Amino acid sequence: MNQEYTEIVKDHFFHPRNVGRLSTPSGSGTVGNPSCGDVMTIDIIVENNIITEAKFQTYGCAAAIASGSMTTELIKGKTITECKKLSMNDIIKQLGGLPEEKTHCSNLATEALQKAIKNYQKNSLL
Amino acid sequence: MKQVYMDYAASTPVDSDVIKSMMPYFSKTYGNPSSTHKHGRLALQAVEHARKQVSSCFNVDPETFLFTSGGTEADNLALKGIAFQHLPKDLGKGPHIITSTIEHPAVLQTCKQLEAYGYSIAYLPVDETGLIDLDQLKETITEDTQLISIMYANNEIGTIEPVEKIGNIAHKHNVLFHTDAVQAVGKIPIDLSKLPIDLLSISSHKIYGPKGVGALYHTKDITFDPLFQGGGHEQGKRSGTLNTPGIVGLGKACELSQKRLKKDISQLEQMSDYFIKRLFEIESSTLNGHPTKRLVNNIHFRFKGIEGNALHSLLDEKGISIATGSACSSKKIQASHVLLALGLTPEEAISSIRFTIGRLTTKEEIDYVLPIVKESINHLRSISPLWKSNK
Ligand SMILES: Cc1ncc(COP(=O)(O)O)c(C=O)c1O
Ligand code: FES
């Protein structure tokens, strides 16, 4: 590939997990905007403070797709508190590393996740 | 895995006859062409033979061509060479140079540098097909204008500019006309004895010659400042020991390109027409650039809802080399200046990719690539939030 991607990144890029939207999410978050290039949406379902289901969509490069896939895999079964701590570096580590100029792509995924969690917390206050 | 190269606008494989022609000039006839002994004279003969091959490809005299390190240097030499003959303070308020917004960086960045030195540059916009407006060109010329530099054909979208008309306008106003013909050579017949062109840049590695060598055509009475100070090679216009093997390779590449021109054009035209027709089968696909005034080897498309870099990575993994219209910078994707100049939205620009085919491209290769492209686009669209919402 044009960038030196790890086998894990390639696997998640070619076979992304959890692609799509959820019909009744507990929370959802979208970051970026198409006019500057990158968009990521993450939907989550939360039961008893645990994320039981997650899906993502992205308009982005290979690293963004792999990050969305990895993030949604990692958060399933984890508590909201655990997921709130999930950082860009955690995703990059799980992917076996990303080229320097691609780190912001995984940020897209963690930001979308944090936004989805906030959205869930707001919804649950209602 | 099968490897398919579809990035001929970036560079081409060196023709085997070109390689053969170059071989003696590495370790057999290695003298410095400037030396007056036999070793030198033999090398000089080879350089002058190459100059004849290059110039006859364009139907002009040999002394109108000087050799450079490539297209980039030829562009720099033409623009700075003309500009530097006057200090900006000795010129009126301009514009001193008129160019377009879709030039190659070799011209655009040179203009930016000249601006920083105080020269005034006008950048003509283009329409949605990539063509400049001739009336606007006429209106932009003032008595301070020294030079017009508009490319023969664009390297990204392949649009062919009306160079003959531009040159006529320039000459009517006593302005010099430079054109970057790096992408045009070998795909469009160029007869410089008939065209109103004063300066023209070419590059060897785009026409099946070696990298790092090019040439600048200049009409005989033109004077310009050299970029390099040194031993006064090339009539003082370009100092630096001549790159004998490279120059010999460029000469041979020009000769072959002239010989094969008709055949190359018809073969490329047939294949790109077919390729374009088949790519239109993909839902929400659009051809960028001009429908007819385009280079015969350029296929530039945008596919709604997909990101060009992701498609590039997918195809690369399958052994298919293409180019995208955007480069990833550290913070966000930088859409191509050419695509934005056409009026495309950043999203449209980012969803664009370029295939450029060449002499070695076969219909089998195109048929091999098509289903992979379709599959990859479907894959990316299935992940994209911009796809279904757009329908
Ligand atoms: C239109 C155009 N001008 C100039 C150049 C630069 O030529 P070179 O690579 O020989 O410096 C290129 C090639 O990238 C080009 O496409
Ligand atoms: S998504 Fe922005 S470059 Fe990867």
Side-chain angles (χ1 to χ4, degrees), chain A residues 38 60-61 64 102 104-105 108, chain B residues 328 333:
Chain A
D38 324 323
C61 67
K102 289 288 174 185
H104 72 283
C105 313
L108 218 53
Chain B
C328 246
I333 297 175

Side-chain angles (χ1 to χ4, degrees), chain A residues 1-3 5 10 13-14 16 19 34-39 41 56-62 65 101-102 104, chain B residues 305-307 309-310 312-314 316-317 328-333 346-347 350-351 379-380 382-386:
Chain A
M1 304 228 282
N2 49 339
Q3 272 84 22
Y5 288 123
K10 287 189 195 177
F13 173 44
F14 296 126
V19 170
S35 72
C36 75
D38 324 323
V39 190
T41 299
F56 84 99
Q57 279 191 328
T58 188
Y59 177 74
C61 67
I65 293 169
E101 71 278 11
K102 289 288 174 185
H104 72 283
Chain B
I306 65 115
E307 209 256 301
N309 285 307
H312 180 282
S313 301
L314 278 176
D316 191 26
E317 187 66 16
C328 246
S329 70
S330 60
K331 287 230 170 57
K332 61 174 184 182
I333 297 175
E347 185 198 326
I350 290 159
S351 64
H379 174 64
L380 293 175
S382 74
I383 306 168
S384 171
L386 304 183

Side-chain angles (χ1 to χ4, degrees), chain A residues 22-61:
Chain A
L22 293 169
S23 47
T24 51
S26 318
S28 61
T30 295
V31 293
N33 91 57
S35 72
C36 75
D38 324 323
V39 190
M40 175 90 64
T41 299
I42 290 183
D43 288 343
I44 51 173
I45 286 180
V46 186
E47 290 168 60
N48 303 322
N49 215 34
I50 287 173
I51 296 184
T52 55
E53 185 60 86
K55 280 197 184 294
F56 84 99
Q57 279 191 328
T58 188
Y59 177 74
C61 67

Side-chain angles (χ1 to χ4, degrees), chain B residues 9-10 69-73 75 104 106 151 153 155 180 182-183 203-206 213:
Chain B
S69 62
T72 301
E73 189 193 331
D75 285 342
H104 187 272
M151 66 203 322
N155 47 300
D180 175 337
V182 167
Q183 294 290 344
S203 173
S204 155
H205 74 103
K206 313 282 186 180
V213 59

Side-chain angles (χ1 to χ4, degrees), chain B residues 52 54-62 64-65 191-193 217:
Chain B
K52 279 204 193 93
V54 174
S55 60
S56 64
C57 173
F58 298 91
N59 198 22
V60 285
D61 291 338
T64 56
F65 271 94
D191 183 344
L192 286 174
S193 74
Y217 162 80

